[in-house]
Amino acid sequence: MIGEAKVGNEDLNLCFEKLMMVAAGNSEGVKMNGVGITEWKDIPVELLLRIVSLLDDQTAIVASSVCSGWRDAICLGLTQLCLSWCRKNMNNLVLSLAPKFTRLQTLILRQENPQLEDNAVETISKFCHDLQDLDLSKSFKLSDRSLYALAHGCPNLKKLNISGCTSFSDEALAYLTNFCRKLKILNLCGCVKAATDHALQAIGRNCNMLQSLNLGWCDNVGDLGVMSLAYGCHDLRCLDLCGCVRITDDSVIALANECLHLRSLGLYYCRNITDRAMYSLAHSRVKNKGLTWELSMKGRYEDDGLKSLNISQCTALTPSAVQALCDTFPALHTCSGRHSLVMSGCLNLTSVHCACAVQAHRTFNTIFHTAH
């Protein structure tokens, strides 16, 4: 198996040739400090790490098995690793590699077929304490044991993707947030049992640095949870609530009033959303105009306002409310090729257009009438 310290001479030679091709663009050898490098044992640590940074992860793992010197250099120097290419035995591979690659900051374990088990995540938590970015998406076999392990072993997590991990409970997720307070990006899409109002209250209380949260199709999420997020996570910039069918205007109003940095909001299939929510988003920009100007003068606020909004299947909305929102936020586009305001399934909103779409229509009419 790749990652175990058993590599044949033929593999070593192939590995060396690939390393040299990356280093010099050919397989004729390279020089460092005037000394020719013709065998894999000759490569200095500094050059080795530079080369490994350009290799695919699979080859880097093979290279770490060449000798003890290479193993120590690569395992201590490698900070990013993706094992999504491993279609079989990913769990065993993680158990083998995690104790060696202790300096990892990014670890991608995305799977098409569920392979990871709790013992792999527990091993990661035991050895990879510098981890900041972890992708465990579609790990259907994982239980709460994994979240409890991450809470104690990986407190520096800034980005966590557990989308599709349907076995996690809201108690375990709430527990995780007590320790992983640096989270900025959290993907809970499809985590129906974990993403509840109870868990969102804990996130709002503990994860004040959160900027992006995906709650797509978490139908246990209600107004209490979203409002807790709004009151606790003022730096929230991207929130996906698509399929959160229980939320009402109260959630959107809280987000409009509390989250001044909000750039992207997904409300697909949130059919309890009415004009009241749209007007609250529009009015929030006017109401907070003085504050946003003050923040921009201090260099803490870039171009303000919504840039992406999905209100598809929100059939209770009327054209006047959505048009008012579109007029308030110039970055919301309905024109072809840009579509940052998505309204699929809302047949009564076909009259809503962004400013540039209206201008394009006027230009076309002018050209048409001139030609005739």
Side-chain angles (χ1 to χ4, degrees):
M1 179 193 296
I2 294 173
E4 294 181 351
K6 293 181 180 179
V7 183
N9 287 334
E10 184 178 349
D11 291 328
L12 293 182
N13 291 333
L14 289 173
C15 184
F16 172 74
E17 289 178 10
K18 190 167 184 178
L19 290 171
M20 289 300 96
M21 288 175 68
V22 172
N26 57 61
S27 57
E28 299 177 357
V30 297
K31 290 185 178 182
M32 188 171 184
N33 295 329
V35 180
I37 300 174
T38 57
E39 296 183 15
W40 52 265
K41 294 179 181 180
D42 298 332
I43 302 178
V45 171
E46 308 89 83
L47 177 59
L48 173 63
L49 292 179
R50 244 186 300 164
I51 295 173
V52 168
S53 68
L54 302 174
L55 294 174
D56 62 87
D57 292 319
Q58 193 169 354
T59 304
I61 292 171
V62 172
S64 71
S65 300
V66 168
C67 62
S68 59
W70 279 32
R71 181 197 64 211
D72 294 343
I74 294 174
C75 290
L76 291 177
L78 200 66
T79 60
Q80 300 183 29
L81 188 62
C82 176
L83 300 181
S84 295
W85 48 266
C86 184
R87 303 299 181 186
K88 295 181 180 180
N89 299 316
M90 181 188 285
N91 201 74
N92 290 333
L93 183 58
V94 172
L95 291 173
S96 171
L97 296 180
K100 303 173 186 176
F101 291 87
T102 57
R103 301 291 178 85
L104 285 178
Q105 295 180 15
T106 299
L107 180 58
I108 309 300
L109 301 174
R110 192 180 302 112
Q111 306 148 78
E112 291 302 321
N113 299 309
Q115 303 178 57
L116 283 185
E117 299 176 12
D118 289 321
N119 60 345
V121 179
E122 288 171 337
T123 303
I124 293 168
S125 303
K126 182 178 180 180
F127 293 98
C128 303
H129 302 304
D130 295 335
L131 207 59
Q132 297 181 24
D133 182 354
L134 178 61
D135 188 338
L136 298 173
S137 53
K138 297 184 179 180
S139 297
F140 304 127
K141 293 183 177 181
L142 298 183
S143 73
D144 286 350
R145 278 173 52 193
S146 292
L147 292 188
Y148 289 127
L150 290 174
H152 291 288
C154 303
N156 295 311
L157 279 175
K158 294 182 179 179
K159 182 178 181 181
L160 178 62
N161 186 347
I162 53 174
S163 59
C165 297
T166 53
S167 297
F168 292 150
S169 71
D170 58 348
E171 286 291 343
L173 180 57
Y175 185 85
L176 175 79
T177 66
N178 283 319
F179 298 88
C180 299
R181 293 173 175 256
K182 299 178 182 179
L183 281 171
K184 289 188 174 183
I185 301 174
L186 181 59
N187 191 336
L188 301 175
C189 182
C191 297
V192 180
K193 290 171 59 180
T196 65
D197 286 347
H198 171 64
L200 295 187
Q201 284 178 293
I203 293 173
R205 186 169 57 249
N206 299 319
C207 303
N208 307 127
M209 301 170 66
L210 195 67
Q211 295 183 354
S212 177
L213 177 61
N214 189 334
L215 293 170
W217 307 107
C218 296
D219 54 15
N220 286 320
V221 169
D223 287 333
L224 178 61
V226 178
M227 291 169 71
S228 298
L229 281 175
Y231 295 134
C233 305
H234 296 290
D235 201 27
L236 200 60
R237 296 160 189 246
C238 181
L239 179 61
D240 193 341
L241 295 169
C242 294
C244 296
V245 295
R246 293 175 54 202
I247 68 167
T248 70
D249 292 336
D250 290 341
S251 290
V252 180
I253 292 170
L255 292 167
N257 291 333
E258 302 295 330
C259 301
L260 303 184
H261 296 266
L262 196 62
R263 297 291 178 272
S264 176
L265 180 61
L267 296 172
Y268 173 76
Y269 217 81
C270 298
R271 293 194 167 182
N272 293 323
I273 300 300
T274 71
D275 289 352
R276 186 164 157 253
M278 298 297 101
Y279 284 123
S280 70
L281 287 169
H283 291 161
S284 68
R285 191 184 193 199
V286 177
K287 184 173 65 175
N288 296 315
K289 192 173 183 181
L291 179 57
T292 56
W293 179 85
E294 180 182 343
L295 290 172
S296 66
M297 291 298 290
K298 295 179 180 178
R300 292 163 49 196
Y301 210 80
E302 298 118 26
D303 44 338
D304 61 306
L306 279 174
K307 294 185 175 182
S308 175
L309 178 66
N310 188 341
I311 50 174
S312 299
Q313 300 297 334
C314 295
T315 52
L317 298 176
T318 65
S320 58
V322 179
Q323 187 64 63
L325 183 68
C326 195
D327 293 340
T328 304
F329 296 105
L332 291 179
H333 292 279
T334 61
C335 50
S336 178
R338 302 180 78 172
H339 280 112
S340 52
L341 175 57
V342 185
M343 303 178 290
S344 302
C346 300
L347 299 181
N348 61 323
L349 300 182
T350 54
S351 63
V352 176
H353 294 291
C354 60
C356 54
V358 173
Q359 182 59 43
H361 181 70
R362 288 174 180 168
T363 302
F364 173 80
N365 284 340
T366 301
I367 295 173
F368 178 82
H369 289 302
T370 302
H372 292 78

